[in-house]
């Protein structure tokens, strides 16, 4: 059942600011402490906590923070615009063949880890030329510290990165094949975030904060204007990057199944690390979703689990109690370091049995057991999203 609860904070003036879709006893002590610190900021209207909640840098992952005329760049994080995309194909399970070869083709087409394109792919093939050209024509308006990075940013558009980012092939309950992916704004997003986080920490109104990671910019100041300008740009970069990867992925799938007339449905492409101006409780606020998706009425989204448990396609119910939000994934239940200590490559192979993917030490920290149970996470937010379908992973590319 859904788990909407009010966080038992000792300070009376913050008691009603936090609502959770998780039980306090299931949340790490440090994550609870982070949530309390965030809720006590004077600019915070309210905090909503999703069932995939866990400790994050700057702010708790799986949280939605609504602020009045302020935003914390650390709360947004360094992977500005990180999110997911998905598209259903016309391919059926009984038409699948040689997934190892397909994975090789995908990895050759879409750079992973620290790699980048040697040259930006022909954007005209994917109908993206105008949007991307406009994006990079505005590069000179970004913070001066990132100006030397334009060539790198261009080449990293449409590339995966590492960590928990992925490219997957999945089957739905009708045995239809889906393409899914998870990625963010790469080095340019991180560099912009680091630059503005440093500026925020230096401002006078942030000097008395208990946690300097929660330093904020205030509306109406040049620092806020500069951050929002660069933030919107990085979010746009991330969305374009996912769109380009979808185009490259679809192209490889179509080539691999050349004997079929492959078609693709309209894509889903959503952020889960971002800021947006929204009307909450009758007020226009700046809403930061740190590892959370917008779940407005009818909004379609992808909520991924781990590389062994697949994902869920969901439709938002538009619940105002959660600030129209839902979880962004399963959420980690142990750190990457813990995962590497607790599990072996043999454990990884066993937990990803039947899935075409890497099974080496380089992705051991992404082992399914390091994540919460995605099915329980979905169950805990039934009042936030309606399940459209469950996707079972059959192929996974990691950086």
């Amino acid at each position: 059942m859904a788990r909407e609860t009010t966080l038992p904070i000792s300070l009376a003036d913050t008691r009603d600011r936090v609502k959770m879709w998780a039980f306090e006893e299931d949340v790490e002590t440090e994550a609870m402490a982070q949530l309390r610190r965030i809720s006590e900021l004077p600019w915070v209207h309210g905090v909503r906590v999703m069932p995939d909640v866990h400790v994050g840098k700057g702010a708790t992952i799986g949280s939605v923070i609504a602020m009045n005329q302020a935003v914390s760049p650390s709360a947004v994080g360094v992977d500005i615009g990180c999110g997911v995309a998905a598209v259903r194909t016309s391919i059926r399970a009984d038409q699948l063949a040689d997934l190892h070869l397909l994975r090789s083709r995908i990895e050759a087409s879409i750079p992973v880890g620290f790699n980048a394109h040697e040259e930006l792919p022909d954007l005209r093939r994917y109908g993206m030329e105008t949007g991307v050209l406009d994006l990079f024509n505005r590069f000179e308006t970004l913070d001066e510290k990132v100006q030397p990075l334009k060539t790198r940013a261009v080449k990293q558009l449409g590339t995966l990165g590492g960590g928990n980012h992925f490219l997957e092939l999945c089957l739905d309950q009708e045995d239809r094949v889906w393409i899914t992916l998870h990625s963010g704004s790469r080095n340019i997003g991180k560099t912009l975030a680091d630059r503005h986080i440093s500026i925020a920490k230096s401002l006078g109104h942030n000097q008395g904060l208990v946690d300097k990671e929660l330093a904020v910019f205030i509306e109406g100041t040049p620092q806020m204007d500069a951050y929002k300008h660069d933030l919107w740009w990085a979010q746009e970069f991330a969305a374009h990057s996912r769109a380009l990867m979808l185009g490259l992925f679809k192209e490889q799938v179509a080539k691999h199944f050349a004997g079929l007339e492959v078609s693709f449905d309209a894509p889903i492409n959503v952020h889960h690390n971002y800021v947006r101006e929204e009307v909450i409780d009758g007020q226009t606020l700046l809403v930061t979703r740190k590892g959370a998706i917008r779940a407005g009425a009818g909004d379609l989204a992808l909520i991924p689990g781990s590389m062994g448990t697949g994902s869920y396609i969901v439709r938002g119910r538009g619940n105002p109690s959660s600030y129209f939000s839902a979880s962004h994934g399963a959420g980690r239940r142990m750190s990457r370091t813990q995962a590497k200590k607790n599990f072996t490559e043999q454990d990884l192979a066993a937990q990803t049995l039947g899935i075409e993917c890497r099974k080496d030490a380089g992705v051991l920290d992404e082992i399914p057991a390091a994540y919460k149970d995605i099915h329980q996470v979905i169950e805990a937010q039934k009042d936030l999203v309606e399940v459209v379908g469950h996707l079972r992973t059959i192929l996974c590319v990691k950086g």
Side-chain angles (χ1 to χ4, degrees):
M1 59 181 294
R3 301 177 175 180
E4 181 184 340
T5 59
T6 300
L7 183 64
I9 299 175
S10 58
L11 297 178
D13 62 343
T14 62
R15 183 179 299 277
D16 296 328
R17 290 188 187 177
V18 182
K19 288 186 177 179
M20 301 179 66
W21 275 257
F23 292 124
E24 183 176 358
E25 60 268 24
D26 295 336
V27 183
E28 307 134 294
T29 301
E30 178 52 32
M32 294 298 295
Q34 278 189 324
L35 291 168
R36 289 186 173 92
R37 290 195 293 269
I38 294 166
S39 69
E40 292 167 1
L41 292 176
W43 306 276
V44 169
H45 174 80
V47 178
R48 298 298 180 258
V49 185
M50 301 297 103
D52 58 341
V53 58
H54 59 287
V55 171
K57 184 176 180 181
T60 319
I61 298 170
S63 64
V64 183
I65 308 163
M67 286 192 179
N68 189 358
Q69 299 189 344
V71 69
S72 169
S74 282
V76 181
V78 296
D79 199 0
I80 299 171
C82 184
V84 291
V87 61
R88 189 174 73 161
T89 79
S90 60
I91 304 167
R92 301 186 310 272
D94 59 4
Q95 296 172 315
L96 292 170
D98 201 346
L99 293 183
H100 180 73
L101 175 60
L102 178 56
R103 179 163 74 93
S104 298
R105 287 174 166 171
I106 295 166
E107 290 171 340
S109 175
I110 302 175
V112 303
F114 293 105
N115 297 322
H117 296 290
E118 291 185 8
E119 291 185 4
L120 190 64
D122 184 358
L123 299 171
R124 291 170 295 182
R125 295 210 307 265
Y126 315 107
M128 296 182 60
E129 184 177 27
T130 301
V132 172
L133 286 177
D134 175 66
L135 179 76
F136 284 110
N137 282 341
R138 289 182 275 122
F139 196 92
E140 285 70 22
T141 67
L142 300 176
D143 187 277
E144 61 180 12
K145 294 292 185 180
V146 307
Q147 291 307 310
L149 301 179
K150 184 175 183 178
T151 299
R152 183 178 183 182
V154 169
K155 292 182 177 181
Q156 284 194 330
L157 188 81
T159 66
L160 185 65
N164 61 354
H165 293 165
F166 63 74
L167 302 157
E168 290 190 345
L169 214 62
C170 303
L171 291 175
D172 65 18
Q173 291 149 310
E174 298 176 349
D175 274 349
R176 287 278 292 274
V177 174
W178 285 70
I179 289 169
T180 66
L181 63 88
H182 172 208
S183 71
S185 52
R186 301 302 320 271
N187 177 259
I188 186 62
K190 180 183 185 304
T191 304
L192 284 168
D194 286 340
R195 167 67 171 159
H196 288 288
I197 289 169
S198 176
I199 292 171
K201 288 179 178 179
S202 72
L203 299 177
H205 63 261
N206 291 316
Q207 298 313 303
L209 294 177
V210 174
D211 184 356
K212 289 292 290 292
E213 291 298 329
L214 295 176
V216 304
F217 291 122
I218 304 296
E219 199 70 76
T221 64
Q223 294 90 350
M224 174 67 117
D225 292 343
Y227 177 61
K228 288 202 297 185
H229 175 275
D230 291 355
L231 176 75
W232 305 148
W233 187 95
Q235 291 177 182
E236 189 178 344
F237 176 96
H240 279 304
S241 187
R242 287 193 294 275
L244 179 54
M245 276 188 284
L246 273 184
L248 294 166
F249 201 158
K250 287 161 57 177
E251 191 171 64
Q252 291 306 312
V253 167
K255 286 180 180 178
H256 188 75
F257 297 97
L260 305 175
E261 292 186 9
V262 181
S263 62
F264 303 92
D265 290 353
I268 297 166
N269 188 347
V270 299
H271 296 315
H272 57 219
N273 252 34
Y274 72 113
V275 178
R276 175 173 152 159
E277 290 185 354
E278 297 185 15
V279 176
I280 301 292
D281 297 335
Q283 303 179 56
T284 300
L285 302 173
L286 284 165
V287 178
T288 297
R289 292 188 173 92
K290 170 81 165 185
I293 58 169
R294 178 169 171 81
D299 288 347
L300 282 174
L302 173 76
I303 300 181
S306 68
M307 60 195 291
T309 57
S311 306
Y312 278 88
I313 302 294
V314 299
R315 182 179 290 110
R317 295 189 184 276
N319 190 331
S321 185
S322 71
Y323 297 159
F324 311 98
S325 304
S327 78
H328 82 310
R332 297 192 72 93
R333 70 180 186 90
M334 66 176 65
S335 69
R336 297 185 181 279
T337 300
Q338 285 177 306
K340 290 177 180 178
K341 287 181 179 179
N342 291 0
F343 299 104
T344 66
E345 291 176 52
Q346 290 73 30
D347 295 324
L348 177 62
Q351 293 180 29
T352 58
L353 187 65
I355 300 172
E356 174 57 45
C357 64
R358 288 177 59 187
K359 302 178 192 286
D360 57 79
V363 293
L364 187 56
D365 54 354
E366 283 294 298
I367 190 169
Y371 285 83
K372 297 179 182 180
D373 186 322
I374 183 62
H375 311 299
Q376 293 179 3
V377 168
I378 295 295
E379 177 68 17
Q381 53 187 329
K382 288 193 303 185
D383 58 338
L384 307 184
V385 292
E386 169 195 358
V387 172
V388 175
H390 176 243
L391 308 183
R392 176 171 57 87
T393 306
I394 57 174
L395 180 154
C396 179
V397 173
K398 287 279 187 182

